[in-house]
Amino acid sequence: MDRTLMHRTGEVTLTVRTPDGRPAAGRTVTVAQRRHAFAFGNIGFDFVPLVAGPGPAGAGDVETFGQAGGLDLERAEALWCNLFNTATLPFYWGGYEPRRGAPDTARLTATARWFAGRGVTVKGHPLVWHTVQPPWLLGLDLDEVERLLRARIRDLAGGFAGLIDTWDAINEAVIMPVFANGDNAVTPLARARGRIHMVRMAFEEARAANPAATLILNDFDLSSAYECLIEGVLEAGVRVDAIGLQTHMHQGYRGEEYTAGVLDRFARYGLPLHLTETTLVSGHLMPAGIDDLNDYRIPHWPSTPEGEARQADDVVRHYRTLFAHPAVRSVTYWGLTDDGAWLGAPAGLVRADGTRKPSYDALESLIKGEWWLPPTSMHTSADGTLTVRGFLGDYTADGVPFTVTAGRAAQEVTLT
Amino acid sequence: MDRTLMHRTGEVTLTVRTPDGRPAAGRTVTVAQRRHAFAFGNIGFDFVPLVAGPGPAGAGDVETFGQAGGLDLERAEALWCNLFNTATLPFYWGGYEPRRGAPDTARLTATARWFAGRGVTVKGHPLVWHTVQPPWLLGLDLDEVERLLRARIRDLAGGFAGLIDTWDAINEAVIMPVFANGDNAVTPLARARGRIHMVRMAFEEARAANPAATLILNDFDLSSAYECLIEGVLEAGVRVDAIGLQTHMHQGYRGEEYTAGVLDRFARYGLPLHLTETTLVSGHLMPAGIDDLNDYRIPHWPSTPEGEARQADDVVRHYRTLFAHPAVRSVTYWGLTDDGAWLGAPAGLVRADGTRKPSYDALESLIKGEWWLPPTSMHTSADGTLTVRGFLGDYTADGVPFTVTAGRAAQEVTLT
């Protein structure tokens, strides 16, 4: 066991009982991990049309991505569910409610249920953001925009409660009031009323509508600006459940030292860290001079053999760094396949033709290999117990479930 | 009158009376401006040794600058007082109290009085900062550092009350907890307790010790980070009197558009803006890649004829932009002469040999020329009145003082 991963493991003394309740002494049972407690996530945008059909009229007017046309549902499911246990679904206002008053509730509900039925935790992204807006929002006055935004937050957080209990409550609040890369109705509101007003609105409305929700403050800005925002928000008494850190590394892997430094800086607020949006490309790197990644538009951004080898290496280095840091609770990769990937980047773990890249295999070798207990024969002692030390999560003994939690615990299973 | 400067002017209908109190009809009087209401400032660091002698033992152990060895007091006074009405004096902890318990109170008091006696407003800089620390502070525990810092704030703000009623309460709080360019005792405190804790401490201690003080939050970071800090501080209920913006442009003048954009962004908090630290060099520019200006150390940084022409042009463009913006209340230039200038830069308005650079003349042509009413003969009407429209500030009519305030007002002077 890697000492740096001790915080990811626990030890269970498991008393195995026969169906009649007596300790099963000297018995061989197969112990197997079923699920990680750690959230290994990916976006599930591709699955919305696969599971629930095409989007509403007008949804195509706003930017969309993650439409894996090259995969059928069965192949997509096999690739996705093999690695991931947490799915982020898209609730961009412009895509979700392209026509005022006609939100895409049915398709998102169906897709969320589809994931939930496979044991996948579903997360919604994002309740408040200034980008990917519905055109009908432009031109409304500030009070009306705020009223509609509050109603949207309540409708989503409340309407999906129980099915979706994790939300990016507000996205990119640091740049929100000074965003200059596209007209929208939220930037003027944030400029007039302030970042903390926006953050409070998002968290308080969502919290009221779903008190059980895990609500995340999410940003791509990992500079002191985000620290200052967090300190202001916490000082203002807004209850934040987790700090979301985006890391779209289209311009190249940022390295272990940088990453660990970022994690340490944001861990000092004592809140869980969610690596909400993680990208590493398997083609050429986007030039470093591009400030807003959205400004880089090229007709074709191919995945290359050299790029795929580098991406696999980067993925392993990055996930090792994140998994080793005790504050990190969740890592969401930003896309399964290159088909329809954000910015057209070869950011997937799977090529557009549905074949696995080396990065997929590399990530599998961590999530389902090095950090995973495969079905293993174990023997109970004379008192019917055996000891399982493993990565935190759900397990079975001869098919009967038990859980490995932090520290040491005693549990029982009764064989059937 | 330039329409963009209307907010800098006022109109006074002045009733001029003869010594016996009757209206002086049809009389010629000389009206002259004596002082700007706008704070045209400069540092007065050079004057401390000139006025009050050498510093205490140990003061040389910490970084100092602004020691104009090339000028005597008379020449320095003539050059300084011709243009400026507000002096920033240095209260860097390491220079002010190099030996614990033996602060340099006497010299700073003498220098502040010297300026005050010449009609100059004195400002103290800074109460809390992480740089230029006394060596004896290192190694003390956090509680002790906070206790000493609070005592220092009270001692300075309270002890100098009436003589110094304007303070940079805290300097560079954005970088304070993550500052990595030199060991100090304040960074660990800020890291442990948060930026807003530090800001609140500075403002509340200083406010308690001198309720009449104008207390400034000051930073070089003009990015969204500073906005986020300000929003957090205001949301936390800390009363800030002015927002301080540093602009050390050793790497080149940043231009009117950039400057106006910065002013607009920070003006939206409804607080006065103080341009606290303004530098434009008259030699080669510091390379753009240098992040912390303190890292650029060269043996000799000469003032050049081309550089002096550029500096004069930059100074005029920059001061015009600042004076035109209604939120700006104060502009402090960072040094009079090149002799002993910060970073050895040719940042002065005066060369090391005491001769004026073109930038000095250019600034004089604004402050004492275009934006100034020189002694002017005016004639009272039959009822003894005359109308003065001028830049806000102090004036005299035949030597008798009156004031031009914003808007329109009626005033009286009685000739002697």
Side-chain angles (χ1 to χ4, degrees):
Chain A
M1 171 66 60
D2 182 348
R3 296 284 310 172
T4 66
L5 296 180
M6 289 295 282
H7 58 285
R8 298 288 174 208
T9 68
E11 189 176 293
V12 169
T13 301
L14 194 69
T15 301
V16 180
R17 298 188 184 277
T18 54
D20 60 5
R22 285 180 304 181
R27 169 104 171 221
T28 299
V29 295
T30 300
V31 174
Q33 188 169 356
R34 297 300 180 188
R35 191 182 199 278
H36 276 288
F38 187 90
F40 288 106
N42 204 325
I43 53 175
F45 300 2
D46 297 351
F47 290 81
V48 183
L50 291 176
V51 167
D61 295 349
V62 298
E63 184 195 34
T64 54
F65 58 91
Q67 308 299 330
L71 289 179
D72 58 26
L73 181 56
E74 193 180 351
R75 288 178 70 201
E77 175 184 354
L79 287 163
W80 201 102
C81 292
N82 176 43
L83 291 189
F84 304 108
N85 59 23
T86 302
T88 297
L89 290 184
F91 288 86
Y92 303 107
W93 200 347
Y96 184 69
E97 192 181 358
R99 216 152 43 80
R100 185 170 176 175
D104 196 10
T105 316
R107 288 200 318 145
L108 270 297
T109 303
T111 310
R113 285 197 178 128
W114 185 90
F115 274 112
R118 283 150 184 81
V120 171
T121 304
V122 185
K123 174 188 166 183
H125 168 85
L127 293 174
V128 178
W129 195 30
H130 48 271
T131 313
V132 195
Q133 297 266 301
W136 52 263
L137 207 60
L138 276 174
L140 302 182
D141 71 33
L142 294 186
D143 285 341
E144 177 71 354
V145 171
E146 175 158 342
R147 195 186 64 73
L148 290 166
L149 200 42
R150 287 183 179 274
R152 164 182 155 82
I153 299 167
R154 285 195 301 272
D155 289 350
L156 288 177
F160 284 88
L163 188 56
I164 301 180
D165 292 325
T166 306
W167 288 95
D168 287 326
I170 185 165
N171 200 31
E172 305 180 358
V174 170
I175 207 176
M176 188 171 279
V178 292
F179 180 76
N181 206 3
D183 260 2
N184 73 87
V186 173
T187 286
L189 185 68
R191 194 172 172 95
R193 300 188 179 173
R195 292 173 173 91
I196 295 177
H197 175 89
M198 299 298 288
V199 172
R200 179 183 280 123
M201 170 177 67
F203 278 80
E204 291 186 354
E205 292 287 356
R207 184 85 63 204
N210 181 0
T214 296
L215 301 177
I216 300 157
L217 184 67
N218 192 43
D219 218 296
F220 71 87
D221 188 325
L222 306 184
S223 75
S224 288
Y226 193 27
E227 296 176 39
C228 290
L229 177 70
I230 292 166
E231 293 177 25
V233 163
L234 297 179
E235 187 73 32
V238 179
R239 186 184 133 204
V240 172
D241 298 314
I243 294 172
L245 307 172
Q246 301 180 21
T247 48
H248 292 295
M249 295 183 277
H250 296 75
Q251 291 163 320
Y253 174 50
R254 297 173 193 163
E256 287 88 344
E257 187 183 341
Y258 167 87
T259 302
V262 166
L263 299 177
D264 284 344
R265 280 200 293 119
F266 290 97
R268 72 184 201 268
Y269 302 110
L271 292 168
L273 303 180
H274 287 213
L275 279 287
T276 51
E277 308 185 19
T278 307
T279 303
L280 289 157
V281 297
S282 70
H284 70 264
L285 301 180
M286 186 189 293
I290 308 264
D291 191 37
D292 185 333
L293 301 186
N294 289 288
D295 292 339
Y296 186 67
R297 301 286 177 164
I298 53 174
H300 183 52
W301 191 346
S303 187
T304 64
E306 309 74 44
E308 291 186 357
R310 187 196 61 231
Q311 184 199 36
D313 187 51
D314 292 345
V315 160
V316 170
R317 292 168 61 190
H318 195 52
Y319 273 72
R320 281 196 194 286
T321 306
L322 301 178
F323 201 56
H325 198 291
V328 177
R329 196 71 56 89
S330 161
V331 182
T332 292
Y333 198 80
W334 204 249
L336 180 66
T337 95
D338 287 350
D339 189 14
W342 183 47
L343 305 175
L349 305 168
V350 169
R351 298 182 195 96
D353 65 6
T355 56
R356 296 172 169 208
K357 293 183 192 174
S359 56
Y360 186 100
D361 296 327
L363 194 54
E364 185 183 42
S365 75
L366 293 177
I367 296 176
K368 295 303 260 311
E370 195 176 319
W371 301 335
W372 184 258
L373 185 72
T376 302
S377 290
M378 299 184 74
H379 309 281
T380 60
S381 57
D383 61 353
T385 65
L386 55 79
T387 299
V388 180
R389 172 145 211 112
F391 288 88
L392 307 178
D394 299 337
Y395 289 72
T396 54
D398 277 0
V400 181
F402 69 98
T403 307
V404 175
T405 53
R408 289 183 178 179
Q411 290 190 48
E412 301 200 351
V413 293
T414 301
L415 303 178
T416 53
Chain B
M1 172 66 60
D2 181 350
R3 295 285 308 171
T4 65
L5 297 181
M6 289 295 281
H7 59 284
R8 297 289 173 208
T9 68
E11 190 176 292
V12 170
T13 301
L14 193 68
T15 302
V16 179
R17 296 188 185 278
T18 54
D20 60 6
R22 286 178 303 179
R27 169 107 171 219
T28 300
V29 296
T30 300
V31 174
Q33 188 168 356
R34 296 300 180 189
R35 190 181 198 278
H36 276 287
F38 188 90
F40 288 106
N42 204 326
I43 53 174
F45 300 2
D46 297 349
F47 290 82
V48 183
L50 291 177
V51 168
D61 295 349
V62 299
E63 183 194 35
T64 54
F65 58 92
Q67 309 299 332
L71 289 179
D72 59 26
L73 182 56
E74 192 179 354
R75 289 177 71 200
E77 175 184 355
L79 287 162
W80 201 102
C81 293
N82 177 42
L83 290 189
F84 303 109
N85 60 21
T86 302
T88 296
L89 289 184
F91 287 87
Y92 302 107
W93 201 346
Y96 183 70
E97 193 181 357
R99 215 152 42 82
R100 185 170 176 175
D104 196 11
T105 317
R107 289 200 318 145
L108 270 297
T109 303
T111 310
R113 285 197 180 129
W114 184 91
F115 274 112
R118 282 149 184 81
V120 171
T121 304
V122 185
K123 174 187 167 185
H125 168 84
L127 293 174
V128 178
W129 195 30
H130 48 272
T131 312
V132 197
Q133 297 265 303
W136 52 263
L137 207 60
L138 275 174
L140 302 182
D141 71 32
L142 295 186
D143 286 341
E144 177 72 353
V145 171
E146 176 159 339
R147 196 185 64 73
L148 290 167
L149 199 43
R150 287 183 180 273
R152 164 181 156 82
I153 300 167
R154 285 194 302 271
D155 289 350
L156 288 176
F160 284 87
L163 187 56
I164 301 180
D165 292 325
T166 306
W167 288 95
D168 287 326
I170 185 165
N171 201 31
E172 305 180 357
V174 170
I175 206 175
M176 189 172 280
V178 292
F179 180 77
N181 207 3
D183 261 1
N184 73 87
V186 173
T187 286
L189 184 68
R191 194 172 172 95
R193 303 192 176 170
R195 292 172 173 90
I196 295 177
H197 174 88
M198 299 298 288
V199 172
R200 179 184 279 122
M201 171 178 65
F203 279 79
E204 291 185 354
E205 292 287 358
R207 183 86 63 205
N210 181 1
T214 296
L215 300 176
I216 301 158
L217 184 66
N218 192 43
D219 217 296
F220 71 88
D221 188 325
L222 307 183
S223 75
S224 289
Y226 194 27
E227 296 176 39
C228 291
L229 176 70
I230 292 166
E231 293 176 26
V233 163
L234 297 178
E235 188 74 31
V238 179
R239 185 184 135 205
V240 172
D241 298 313
I243 294 172
L245 307 172
Q246 301 180 20
T247 48
H248 292 294
M249 294 183 278
H250 296 75
Q251 291 164 318
Y253 174 52
R254 297 172 192 163
E256 287 88 343
E257 186 182 342
Y258 166 87
T259 302
V262 166
L263 299 177
D264 284 345
R265 281 200 292 118
F266 289 98
R268 71 184 201 268
Y269 302 111
L271 292 169
L273 302 180
H274 287 212
L275 279 287
T276 51
E277 309 184 19
T278 307
T279 303
L280 288 157
V281 296
S282 70
H284 71 264
L285 301 180
M286 187 189 293
I290 308 265
D291 191 36
D292 185 333
L293 302 186
N294 289 289
D295 292 339
Y296 186 66
R297 301 285 177 164
I298 53 173
H300 184 52
W301 192 346
S303 187
T304 64
E306 310 74 43
E308 292 186 357
R310 187 196 61 230
Q311 185 200 34
D313 188 51
D314 292 346
V315 160
V316 170
R317 293 167 62 191
H318 195 52
Y319 274 73
R320 280 196 194 285
T321 306
L322 302 179
F323 201 57
H325 198 290
V328 177
R329 196 70 55 87
S330 161
V331 182
T332 292
Y333 198 81
W334 203 249
L336 180 65
T337 95
D338 288 350
D339 189 14
W342 182 47
L343 305 175
L349 306 168
V350 170
R351 299 182 193 96
D353 65 5
T355 55
R356 296 172 167 207
K357 293 183 193 175
S359 57
Y360 186 100
D361 296 328
L363 194 54
E364 183 182 43
S365 76
L366 293 176
I367 296 176
K368 294 304 256 318
E370 196 176 320
W371 301 336
W372 185 258
L373 186 71
T376 303
S377 289
M378 299 183 74
H379 308 281
T380 60
S381 57
D383 61 353
T385 66
L386 56 81
T387 299
V388 180
R389 171 146 212 111
F391 287 89
L392 307 178
D394 298 337
Y395 289 72
T396 54
D398 278 0
V400 181
F402 68 98
T403 307
V404 175
T405 53
R408 287 184 181 177
Q411 290 191 47
E412 300 199 352
V413 292
T414 301
L415 303 178
T416 53

